[in-house]
Every structure is written in C-alpha cells, then in structure tokens.
Amino acid sequence: MKIMVAIKRVVDYAVKIRIKSDKTGVETSNVKMSMNPFCEIALEEALKIKESKLASEVIAVSIGPAQCVDTLRTGLAMGADRAIHVDAPATLFPLSIAKILKALVDVEKPELLILGKQAIDDDCNQTGQMVAGLLNWPQGTFASKVVLDKEKNVATVDREVDGGLETLCLDLPAVITTDLRLNQPRYATLPNIMKAKSKPIKKMTPEELKVEMRSDMEILHVKEPQKRKAGVILSSVDELIDKLKNEAHVI
Amino acid sequence: LGTLIIAEHEGGSLSGTSLSSIEAASKLLCKDDNSLSLLLAGTGPSLQEAATNAASCHPCISQVLVADSDKFKHTLAEPWAKLIHLVQQKHEYSHIVTASSSFGKNILPRAAALLDVSPITDVIEISEPRTFVRPIYAGNALCTIRYTGSNPCMLTIRSTSFPASASPDSKTNAAPIHQVDLSSFGEEGSCRFVKQSSQESERPDLGSARVVITGGRALKSAENFKIVEKLAEKLGAAVGATRAAVDAGYVPNELQVGQTGKIVAPQLYMAFGVSGAIQHIAGMRDSKVIVAVNKDADAPIFQVADYGLVGDLFDIIPELIEKLPEKK
C-alpha cells in the first residue's frame, strides 16, 4: 500500500516573525524556511509504517512556489521514496490545496493520506478535514497514536480532543492529521541527504490536475497584536497576595 | 438567510463553547438578516432536553433544529459534515458558525469542503458580517480577512474572545423546535467510535475557569505536580500545564495550555515554573491578570506577567496555600 504525505514549507518555528511595513503580510524573504513541524510528524509516521512493513511506498507532496522542492528534498532525505511538487502560488487557501491533494490522490491512489493538523504560519487547521470531505474518506484528526490492521483494512486512531483522548476505527482508505505527541521525527543523516539527491521529484501544475483555483478571501491587513505591558517583580508572597486582593481584585 | 449555529451539548445542556458561538453569531445580526437557528444532534432524551434548554437560552435564537439519530451518538465528523450539508441545502443560511473546540475544528472544515466553501477558522473578532480578525503565527500577528465567496460564510470562533453574557431568563418566548428530516440521510459511515478516555475531575473546566493555575517542567514529576493541584483546590481554580509538562507525563494532554492545546483567558492566570515559550504564551496571553513564579529572573514569562516572583516554586506554593484566604 502507498502512503501520501502532504508537506508545507513555512517560516522556521524558531524565527521571530516580522510584519511587512505595508501590513500586507509577514516577511518571508530572507527568512529561514523549514518543513512545518506537524508535517515532519506526518512524514515520520508514514516512514514508521513503511518500516514495519505495512506500506510499500511513501510519497511526499508539496504545493507552492519553486522553493518547495528544497523542503521536499528534506522529506526525501528523511526517507520518503519519491516526491511530487505542484507548482502554485504561495497564497493559496486550504480549499484549493485540498482540491489539488484530492486530484493527486485520484492519480496516485494511496490508501492513507497523512497531513499535519495545522501549519504554524496561518494556523488554519483545515486542509486534512477538507480533503477527507472531498474524497469522502473517513478522517482521524489530531492523532496521537495510529495502529494499522492490514487484514481488517482499518486504522485505529487515538485523537487528542478537549475532553481527553478519543479512539476511532477508520476503514481504509482514510485521512489522518497529526498532533504533536504522535512521534518524534528523525533527522536526515548525511548519507541519506546525499541519497535523496537522486530520488525523483515530479513536477505538476494545477492545470494538469484540472483543479480550478478560486480565491474567496481577501487579506485586508496583518498587524501586531497589542503588547502586554511587562509588570512588576514583587519581593514576597505577602506582597503578591496584597496586590491580587487590593490592586487587581482577582481574589 | 440567517445564521446557523452548530452547537454541542452534554447532559441536557448546551456547552459553554456553544453559548460563545451564540454570542458571536449575535454580532452578525443586522436589519435584513436577523434569524439565528441552532442545530443540535445526538440521540435520546438528553438531546431533547438540550433542545428545550437551547430554545430559551438566548433572546436572539429564532429556531432550534434537532437531528435525532444513532448516527450522531458520537460526534463523528463524517455524519456531522453530511448533516450540515443537508441542513444548508434546505435552508440556505448566509453564515454557519461553531466554536473552535476540538468538535468544531474537526467537523466544520469537512462540511465546508462538501459545500465548496473556504472556511475561516479561529475568529477572534467580527468587524463586519464578512470581515473577521484571526490570529496567525501562534498569535504573533493578527490577520484581518474579508470573505468574498458565495454563501454560506463558515466560521469557527475562539470561545474566549466571545464570552457568553449572563443568560437572560426568557422562558416565556422559547423558540420553536423542529426535527430535521433525516429520511434521505443514507448509509452507515466508514468511521466507528471505539472509546473516549478522560480524567474525571471535580475542578472547573480549563476552558472557562475564572482562575487557572499552570505548572511547567520545573515541577519535575507527576508527584510534585500535586502541589499545583492543591493550590488550585484552594482557589477553586482549573489546572493547566505546559507542553513540556505534558510531554514529560506529569499530567494528561487535555491540561495543555498553548498554541496547540487549550486557549484560555481567565481573570487570573498563575504560572509556576513556566519559562514562557512562545507556543505557551499564545494560549494564555489574553488572561486578565498574569502571575509568574520562576527561579530564573530572565525567563520570558516575566515579560507578559503583571506580577512576577523570582524564587523556588517549592517554597512559594506552600506559602501561598497557607496564606491565601479560603475561597468563598
């Protein structure tokens, strides 16, 4: 069975972001870009499934401008077998991404599509659910544990929900989105980085996939949130209790 | 036209997050578009009881739609998305709103895809009926976005940004309750509920508590974490934890406060042994009063705290427990 993993290139999680002076967005040129951390977890899970002999091939896909190829190379160095880059503008919203992913699934016919639960740039948390809806596949979102049973052709998924953990049983094919505690992604080793250079990356366009892209959203402006004033450092518990009681009136 | 609110219920009542959704939806009301419908699904007497309660929970509610079927016994995304699709086909709402709870985040985008709509998730401000503010980059930037697509405009709202107003008791004009016709609903799904495990707790819910006491990695063990719970008990507070404390296994995942855990905005937030990672701040920055206790005077948490104490939490928490007044 094949597993497809969707990968997004985002501003590295350790970078302190800067808002563009014209307030149209966040500065991404000359900023360190990396694979979205949740996508790393998605890829790691796919690789682990393949290593336990439950899958034969892991395909990494990324949708966006030319530089996404760098991110896909990282995925190949981690262990993906091959990659597909869909050349598209960086400004796509999740509905268009979901449509492109659906089209790729129709071509590649994987039995599992794994995505990060959200990207750390736009924090949308939508794409996995949307592509599952378009494919009419069951979805296991916010997964912290995935167990495949090939005989029964199901995936059992523990999900992190507000009240604790929920366990679902999904018929394959299915969509899974990953939460933080699912696994610890591996680092690419130097030999694997070298090997990844010869792995194939296929280039496609939304037109080839017959996906019509539409923008239903207009970003009016992006600005910084109001800063909290740093407060005061107190010297004792008594002083703290006094402040909470008589100044902040919260106890 | 009008707005459809997708609500959650438990034990015969609407969830607190659903009351926030109603609060948000009431901001969408305008002269020509002033109906609010509430959709509830589930099965059995507790659903009907929730519907009765919902019908008189807010003066703006104009009708309650009830989908009663075993298919909705658990909040699975597949039948729920289909249900929203079905209800939208029939009533053609201009807006569909739900909370950014794990329920709303799971089902709304799926339903939006079925309707070929781009949803807007985690809205913190409604500027105009089609213009919204939502945080991006873990709340380090706020994006104002206008929906230009066709109907419906689909939103999830961050509950802490739309605190439910004290419910005016207006039982005299309860809204009508209608059952959703599910005769065309179709076959069983490809997803089955297995189980739900949660920690039973006497303490208030983390998402809506007035006071939250959070412990970080500095607590060092699950055993030590009990001291945080003891302080919370004294204050009638909910207990939270950082991602590091959850990952280390001191407490279960549902206590995590932060970008990927719960977003909280209590009156008082007290952080013990929390360094103040950006992901954690994203989950609590809207708290009214923030107190931080940390050994490290340079910990970033002090930059957002109203009151800081530099010192050992193992000395400070017992002293607080001793000296704080009993809660009323």
Side-chain angles (χ1 to χ4, degrees):
Chain A
M1 113 171 170
K2 285 194 222 177
I3 304 178
M4 186 181 278
V5 179
I7 284 171
K8 185 171 183 184
R9 178 176 180 269
V10 298
V11 173
D12 187 86
Y13 77 98
V15 169
K16 194 171 172 3
I17 57 144
R18 281 192 325 272
I19 290 165
K20 288 183 187 167
S21 52
D22 62 2
K23 303 216 182 311
T24 55
V26 167
E27 193 57 72
T28 55
S29 52
N30 297 318
V31 169
K32 186 182 178 205
M33 304 290 280
S34 300
M35 191 187 298
N36 177 40
F38 288 99
C39 303
E40 287 185 319
I41 296 171
L43 180 54
E44 175 66 31
E45 196 63 17
L47 296 173
K48 278 170 68 180
I49 293 170
K50 190 189 163 193
E51 282 160 0
S52 60
K53 309 271 184 248
L54 292 166
S56 53
E57 190 180 36
V58 174
I59 309 160
V61 306
S62 190
I63 301 156
Q67 300 92 321
C68 288
V69 168
D70 302 340
T71 316
L72 285 172
R73 284 276 171 227
T74 308
L76 294 170
M78 281 174 71
D81 297 290
R82 61 188 169 94
I84 301 172
H85 169 225
V86 179
D87 197 1
T91 50
L92 292 183
F93 290 103
L95 181 62
S96 300
I97 300 289
K99 287 178 179 175
I100 293 172
L101 286 173
K102 179 190 182 290
L104 288 171
V105 165
D106 290 341
V107 173
E108 292 287 346
K109 308 218 172 347
E111 276 189 88
L112 207 49
L113 172 62
I114 313 183
L115 308 87
K117 74 164 182 182
Q118 71 191 67
I120 60 164
D121 49 5
D122 59 23
D123 286 331
C124 275
N125 192 338
Q126 300 174 359
T127 306
Q129 295 88 311
M130 296 182 87
V131 68
L134 295 176
L135 288 163
N136 196 25
W137 286 7
Q139 68 189 50
T141 52
F142 326 145
S144 63
K145 190 178 170 194
V146 175
V147 179
L148 280 191
D149 184 332
K150 275 194 87 176
E151 246 158 64
K152 292 189 185 136
N153 209 31
V154 295
T156 304
V157 179
D158 285 0
R159 307 179 54 230
E160 297 206 3
V161 295
D162 290 342
L165 282 179
E166 180 185 72
T167 307
L168 299 179
C169 182
L170 315 174
D171 291 340
L172 298 182
V175 173
I176 288 171
T177 77
T178 61
D179 217 315
L180 284 172
R181 271 174 282 275
L182 181 59
N183 60 46
Q184 195 68 47
R186 67 194 68 189
Y187 289 103
T189 59
L190 187 61
N192 285 341
I193 292 171
M194 300 311 289
K195 246 192 273 175
K197 291 188 175 164
S198 58
K199 289 183 181 177
I201 298 181
K202 187 174 169 187
K203 194 172 160 175
M204 298 188 88
T205 63
E207 295 73 42
E208 278 173 276
L209 292 163
K210 299 196 170 54
V211 176
E212 192 202 343
M213 286 179 299
R214 193 180 76 208
S215 176
D216 293 334
M217 226 96 74
E218 193 185 337
I219 291 174
L220 300 183
H221 53 84
V222 173
K223 56 181 190 187
E224 269 185 63
Q226 224 171 0
K227 282 221 168 55
R228 281 190 84 96
K229 308 196 291 277
V232 288
I233 297 288
L234 309 174
S235 57
S236 70
V237 168
D238 292 318
E239 199 185 345
L240 174 62
I241 292 176
D242 176 64
K243 293 278 189 194
L244 291 180
K245 232 191 251 174
N246 302 317
E247 189 176 272
H249 306 291
V250 284
I251 56 169
Chain B
L1 284 171
T3 295
L4 178 68
I5 299 158
I6 314 296
E8 289 172 86
H9 62 99
E10 210 190 316
S13 309
L14 286 186
S15 70
T17 53
S18 297
L19 297 175
S20 295
S21 303
I22 298 172
E23 190 63 32
S26 67
K27 298 195 189 311
L28 296 166
L29 296 176
C30 63
K31 208 161 72 244
D32 331 303
D33 193 353
N34 57 8
S35 87
L36 289 189
S37 302
L38 195 97
L39 175 63
L40 283 170
T43 182
S46 84
L47 170 66
Q48 300 304 336
E49 192 189 336
T52 311
N53 287 330
S56 53
C57 76
H58 196 284
C60 295
I61 299 289
S62 38
Q63 70 166 334
V64 177
L65 300 172
V66 176
D68 191 339
S69 162
D70 280 345
K71 295 187 179 77
F72 307 116
K73 194 168 167 201
H74 305 290
T75 50
L76 301 178
E78 297 76 13
W80 257 105
K82 222 164 123 181
L83 174 65
I84 295 167
H85 182 253
L86 180 92
V87 170
Q88 174 62 19
Q89 296 290 23
K90 183 151 182 237
H91 297 276
E92 297 180 347
Y93 294 99
S94 66
H95 291 77
I96 299 179
V97 179
T98 193
S100 284
S101 56
S102 55
F103 163 83
K105 287 191 280 198
N106 189 39
I107 64 158
L108 188 104
R110 185 177 177 112
L114 300 184
L115 291 161
D116 196 25
V117 163
S118 275
I120 301 165
T121 41
D122 216 16
V123 167
I124 59 167
E125 192 187 316
I126 296 171
S127 320
E128 281 170 45
R130 300 213 158 204
T131 306
F132 312 97
V133 181
R134 61 182 301 275
I136 55 175
Y137 289 89
N140 287 302
L142 298 178
C143 180
T144 302
I145 206 162
R146 181 189 292 142
Y147 181 71
T148 56
S150 52
N151 281 343
C153 171
M154 299 178 76
L155 314 172
T156 70
I157 59 102
R158 185 179 281 192
S159 304
T160 51
S161 302
F162 299 93
S165 42
S167 53
D169 202 39
S170 55
K171 284 206 164 55
T172 41
N173 39 29
I177 299 174
H178 299 289
Q179 305 291 323
V180 177
D181 178 7
L182 297 170
S183 55
S184 62
F185 202 74
E187 83 293 354
E188 283 302 304
S190 48
C191 172
R192 288 163 302 280
F193 176 84
V194 179
K195 62 173 195 245
Q196 163 118 29
S197 48
S198 59
Q199 231 81 0
E200 282 302 315
S201 167
E202 298 286 293
R203 277 188 292 272
D205 174 55
L206 180 56
S208 56
R210 216 184 63 85
V211 180
V212 174
I213 313 285
T214 287
R217 202 205 307 260
L219 266 299
K220 294 201 185 80
S221 72
E223 191 53 39
N224 288 343
F225 212 93
K226 295 214 170 80
I227 192 176
V228 171
E229 291 163 17
K230 221 170 137 194
L231 177 60
E233 224 155 88
K234 177 102 190 217
L235 283 166
V239 171
T242 61
R243 183 186 156 197
V246 173
D247 284 355
Y250 306 164
V251 287
N253 66 283
E254 64 262 32
L255 299 190
Q256 183 179 327
V257 172
Q259 181 189 16
T260 64
K262 293 234 167 68
I263 311 279
V264 302
Q267 294 291 304
L268 173 59
Y269 188 88
M270 299 179 86
F272 293 92
V274 173
S275 62
I278 223 170
Q279 291 80 0
H280 183 75
I281 307 280
M284 46 68 90
R285 68 188 310 153
D286 293 330
S287 304
K288 185 161 166 273
V289 175
I290 297 174
V291 172
V293 174
N294 201 305
K295 258 189 198 165
D296 174 9
D298 297 325
I301 187 82
F302 288 120
Q303 289 162 21
V304 297
D306 300 284
Y307 303 114
L309 266 181
V310 179
D312 189 337
L313 64 96
F314 293 108
D315 298 330
I316 290 170
I317 296 183
E319 196 182 339
L320 274 167
I321 293 174
E322 192 199 313
K323 290 181 174 168
L324 276 169
E326 285 299 331
K327 61 169 168 134
K328 278 151 250 161

